[in-house]
Amino acid sequence: MPKSKIRPIRSYVLRQGRLTKNQAEGIRAFSSLYTIPFGNSVLNWDAIFNSKGKKIIEIGFGMGHTTAIIAETLSNSNFIAIDVYSPGVGNLLNKIKDKNLKNLKIIQHDAVEVLEEMTLDESLDALHIFFPDPWHKKRHNKRRLIQEPFLELISRKLKKQGYIHIATDWEDYANWIIEIFKKNEIYQAKNIDFSKKPSYRPKTKYENRGVNLGHQVWDMVFIKS
Ligand SMILES: C[S@@+](CC[C@H](N)C(=O)[O-])C[C@H]1O[C@@H](n2cnc3c(N)ncnc32)[C@H](O)[C@@H]1O
């Protein structure tokens, strides 16, 4: 019997934000240099970057402000940053060019499918997810990226001792994340007091605005044992 195709629940809404002139020019001029097309072939990191640096995926880079700074700071690691948002892709392409970053590439696609289709098991040193969409209304909670099946997926993709670093400014989402990780015995929480931000993560504009309004930020790092 043919498999019925069920449309998966996506953790994002495809916003067709207007591209600025700079972003459009970034996409036109630099896509071929710094983006990897989505496809069925497995990512060969050492060949893509021509180096054997650590392999780190960032999911949902937004405008890419912190992504570029982190790649600059952790210059011995290689980064593949994933998002679906075209203005952000254009913005980050320009940053890669301006900063002459050799260790950062972009895939514009659903990160879940990139992990499923293009990522070898036990191949990643780390995953970064900063300020994932909180989907705060109860009826939208099912759209949250971090769910039990997602955790199973990344458990397969991370190496032993690989880490996942998540930051959020939604207390409810922070508690939800902790609960999901607690159920999965493979992870140890490294930073459960939430207050210590690893030094490589700079604060974003968005985050600073929230902090000024009295929002707290929870940084959580879990290590795969
Ligand atoms: C709230 S924004 C945060 C952006 C950025 N990390 C920051 O801190 O400013 C979340 C981003 O995640 C992206 N996103 C959500 N689910 C995704 C998925 N499954 N694959 C790729 N990107 C996703 C959205 O398009 C959006 O740009």
Side-chain angles (χ1 to χ4, degrees):
M1 211 167 41
K3 267 195 203 163
S4 64
K5 275 238 168 196
I6 298 169
R7 199 181 128 67
I9 298 170
R10 307 259 183 221
S11 56
Y12 57 85
V13 175
L14 254 192
R15 295 167 287 159
Q16 294 306 342
R18 239 180 125 80
L19 291 173
T20 65
K21 218 170 147 195
N22 262 351
Q23 291 159 357
E25 181 55 19
I27 290 172
R28 192 201 60 76
F30 309 127
S31 286
S32 60
L33 292 175
Y34 308 127
T35 63
I36 302 167
F38 176 76
N40 298 21
S41 55
V42 159
L43 293 166
N44 181 346
W45 288 67
D46 296 348
I48 291 168
F49 293 101
N50 200 18
S51 93
K52 290 199 178 299
K54 290 205 162 142
K55 303 173 177 61
I56 304 180
I57 280 185
E58 179 177 349
I59 298 180
F61 59 79
M63 296 307 285
H65 296 301
T66 43
T67 310
I69 296 173
I70 293 174
E72 202 173 22
T73 310
L74 302 180
S75 57
N76 292 327
S77 297
N78 292 320
F79 293 85
I80 293 181
I82 308 171
D83 206 306
V84 291
Y85 185 53
S86 295
V89 170
N91 201 51
L92 186 54
L93 282 168
N94 285 328
K95 283 183 187 289
I96 296 175
K97 175 67 182 171
D98 291 349
K99 291 178 183 280
N100 193 21
L101 297 172
K102 307 277 185 234
N103 61 336
L104 172 58
K105 304 274 184 210
I106 297 173
I107 300 180
Q108 185 172 11
H109 196 78
D110 184 340
V112 173
E113 290 184 2
V114 174
L115 289 170
E116 281 169 346
E117 311 268 329
M118 298 180 75
T119 310
L120 281 178
D121 287 353
E122 307 236 332
S123 65
L124 300 179
D125 292 281
L127 268 161
H128 291 170
I129 308 178
F130 303 137
F131 305 95
D133 298 289
W135 294 111
H136 59 274
K137 289 186 182 148
K138 261 258 160 328
R139 68 173 193 281
H140 288 154
N141 281 179
K142 58 179 182 294
R143 302 195 65 158
R144 286 177 168 173
L145 176 68
I146 296 146
Q147 311 270 354
E148 282 177 49
F150 176 76
L151 218 61
E152 276 158 29
L153 173 65
I154 62 172
S155 305
R156 276 191 276 122
K157 302 303 169 184
L158 278 174
K159 292 178 186 168
K160 276 198 175 139
Q161 297 304 306
Y163 73 86
I164 169 162
H165 176 184
I166 308 172
T168 181
D169 59 349
W170 280 87
E171 183 170 13
D172 173 62
Y173 201 6
N175 288 328
W176 161 291
I177 291 166
I178 301 279
E179 282 312 307
I180 289 175
F181 272 90
K182 266 195 202 152
K183 283 190 206 155
N184 193 318
E185 286 169 2
I186 211 167
Y187 293 98
Q188 291 156 6
K190 188 181 169 204
N191 182 21
I192 209 80
D193 70 4
F194 303 135
S195 53
K196 289 191 210 94
K197 179 177 75 59
S199 58
Y200 55 78
R201 186 178 77 72
K203 282 193 179 164
T204 63
K205 251 194 213 163
Y206 162 81
E207 177 179 1
N208 279 328
R209 202 174 52 213
V211 168
N212 289 339
L213 290 170
H215 294 181
Q216 197 180 333
V217 171
W218 291 266
D219 276 89
M220 295 162 271
V221 179
F222 302 92
I223 313 236
K224 178 179 159 182
S225 54

